[in-house]
Amino acid sequence: MDDGYLISESKEYLQECLAKIRTLCDELGITLNEKKTQIVKISHGFTYLKARFFLLPSGKIVKKIYKRSVTKMRQKLKKFKGLQAAGKLKTEDIDISVTCWVAYARKFNAWHTTENMIQLFYRLFPKEVLHV
């Protein structure tokens, strides 16, 4: 893994750390991606390990599902429909894939998102039973 985050109350401290990281990267011959390297307020949220994290004014940290994961699963379900119709994919395999994704989505307390995905499954595969 090559991603990292520094969190501090002091923007000046973070700027000092960034300068030291740049120096270390130069010494090691590592190229730092300047487009992805930035100092931002944590209240804007950040993505880490396919999850979005936000700090609320109360100090509570909220973890939300990564929107791209939802989009990719919707696309995958539609592709599965074509593969199943062509006889290249068994319904059991589709069931396993959707069940795993639903379990992943439930870690984020994304009830509406999960229900919408299940409903999409039933619209695409009306005679099937999902084992979630």
Side-chain angles (χ1 to χ4, degrees):
M1 188 164 93
D2 59 354
D3 293 347
Y5 290 93
L6 296 176
I7 300 173
S8 174
E9 294 179 0
S10 169
K11 185 176 181 177
E12 293 77 24
Y13 175 72
L14 292 173
Q15 289 169 336
E16 290 172 22
C17 290
L18 182 56
K20 289 178 183 178
I21 290 170
R22 285 188 175 122
T23 302
L24 181 62
C25 286
D26 288 342
E27 290 172 5
L28 297 173
I30 299 172
T31 304
L32 192 63
N33 187 335
E34 294 296 335
K35 289 182 182 178
K36 295 181 179 180
T37 304
Q38 53 190 316
I39 297 173
V40 296
K41 289 184 176 187
I42 199 165
S43 60
H44 293 172
F46 63 93
T47 302
Y48 186 69
L49 298 175
K50 303 270 180 174
R52 291 283 297 159
F53 292 87
F54 297 91
L55 178 66
L56 300 181
S58 66
K60 180 179 179 182
I61 297 173
V62 176
K63 181 176 161 185
K64 293 187 175 185
I65 194 166
Y66 191 55
K67 286 183 183 181
R68 181 116 170 104
S69 297
V70 177
T71 303
K72 291 301 252 181
M73 189 58 193
R74 287 182 182 284
Q75 292 170 347
K76 192 183 283 190
L77 266 178
K78 292 170 186 174
K79 187 175 183 179
F80 285 168
K81 178 65 177 172
L83 291 172
Q84 183 204 34
K88 295 181 179 180
L89 190 62
K90 294 184 211 171
T91 305
E92 296 84 28
D93 296 331
I94 298 168
D95 185 347
I96 290 168
S97 181
V98 174
T99 301
C100 290
W101 188 88
V102 167
Y104 156 78
R106 286 186 174 156
K107 290 193 301 184
F108 299 97
N109 198 18
W111 187 85
H112 290 289
T113 302
T114 305
E115 287 300 308
N116 289 338
M117 192 66 69
I118 292 169
Q119 291 306 313
L120 176 61
F121 173 84
Y122 285 127
R123 280 195 305 275
L124 293 172
F125 308 96
K127 296 178 184 175
E128 305 303 328
V129 175
L130 188 60
H131 297 94
V132 288

